[in-house]
Amino acid sequence: LSRLYIMVKPDGVQRGLVGEIIKRFESKGFKLIALKLTAPGKAHLEKHYADLKEKKFFPGLIEYMTSGPVVAMVWAGKNVVKSGRVLLGETNPLTSAPGTIRGDFAIDIGRNICHGSDAVESAEHEIALWFPEGVAQYDRAVDAWIYE
Ligand code: GTP
Ligand code: MG
């Protein structure tokens, strides 16, 4: 089992897509272990996207990400990083398949409504950054009906 950090970006919150995004991860069978609405400052987002610091779009990205509150979550499950990225779709909504979150709800790369960690290691790094208080731990009886 692994863990994935996802975040509904300010445009996703403004457009009322928080429930829709939660619903897709819930319906898939993943387990929600942390959730909060938060509006972190520039410094925090610069840490989150530190690997993109040299990109031309970086200032615009930070401005976008600090333009309103975000909804931060951690989901747990088998192959949740890979599977979660499939649920999200491609970075560019234009090439995201219908049926994916970005494919269904977004048009521009700079307004792609949801973030998801790109690897198990970056997920753990992002979980520590966004949930220093820790995440929940609980058992679900339904897991016996999701995993063989
Ligand atoms: P995240 O889940 O947000 O990390 O997206 P990603 O992993 O699919 O893409 P990446 O980490 O490479 O880029 C992070 C974010 O920067 C993207 O989700 C976009 O919002 C933004 N971004 C990436 N490339 C571009 C670009 O070429 N132009 C613009 N305007 N934004 C970009
Ligand atoms: Mg990324």
Side-chain angles (χ1 to χ4, degrees), residues 67-83:
S67 64
V70 299
V71 173
M73 306 176 223
V74 182
W75 292 88
K78 193 192 251 180
N79 285 320
V80 65
V81 173
K82 227 178 214 160
S83 176

Side-chain angles (χ1 to χ4, degrees), residues 7 9 48-49 51-52 55 57-58 60-61 64-65 85 88-92 102 108-118 126:
M7 164 167 60
K9 298 181 178 184
H48 172 80
Y49 279 129
D51 55 323
L52 301 174
K55 303 280 187 191
F57 59 80
F58 187 74
L61 175 62
Y64 159 47
M65 291 300 300
R85 298 275 293 188
L88 280 177
E90 310 270 313
T91 306
N92 189 347
R102 287 165 175 169
D108 269 355
I109 193 166
R111 295 290 184 274
N112 60 1
I113 68 169
C114 193
H115 160 81
S117 323
D118 57 17
E126 290 169 4

Side-chain angles (χ1 to χ4, degrees), residues 15-139:
R15 294 179 54 198
L17 293 170
V18 175
E20 177 68 39
I21 291 166
I22 290 175
K23 182 168 173 274
R24 290 180 180 219
F25 279 83
E26 266 187 330
S27 313
K28 178 76 176 167
F30 293 128
K31 179 163 80 171
L32 182 63
I33 55 172
L35 170 71
K36 68 181 165 194
L37 181 107
T38 177
K42 228 176 132 197
H44 189 83
L45 267 307
E46 283 172 356
K47 264 190 213 164
H48 172 80
Y49 279 129
D51 55 323
L52 301 174
K53 211 162 41 201
E54 307 305 326
K55 303 280 187 191
K56 235 176 42 204
F57 59 80
F58 187 74
L61 175 62
I62 299 303
E63 195 183 335
Y64 159 47
M65 291 300 300
T66 53
S67 64
V70 299
V71 173
M73 306 176 223
V74 182
W75 292 88
K78 193 192 251 180
N79 285 320
V80 65
V81 173
K82 227 178 214 160
S83 176
R85 298 275 293 188
V86 174
L87 293 181
L88 280 177
E90 310 270 313
T91 306
N92 189 347
L94 203 66
T95 52
S96 291
T100 66
I101 291 166
R102 287 165 175 169
D104 284 348
F105 300 114
I107 295 172
D108 269 355
I109 193 166
R111 295 290 184 274
N112 60 1
I113 68 169
C114 193
H115 160 81
S117 323
D118 57 17
V120 170
E121 305 75 54
S122 53
E124 290 303 320
H125 180 78
E126 290 169 4
I127 292 165
L129 178 67
W130 288 89
F131 291 97
E133 67 272 33
V135 303
Q137 211 175 351
Y138 62 98
D139 294 323

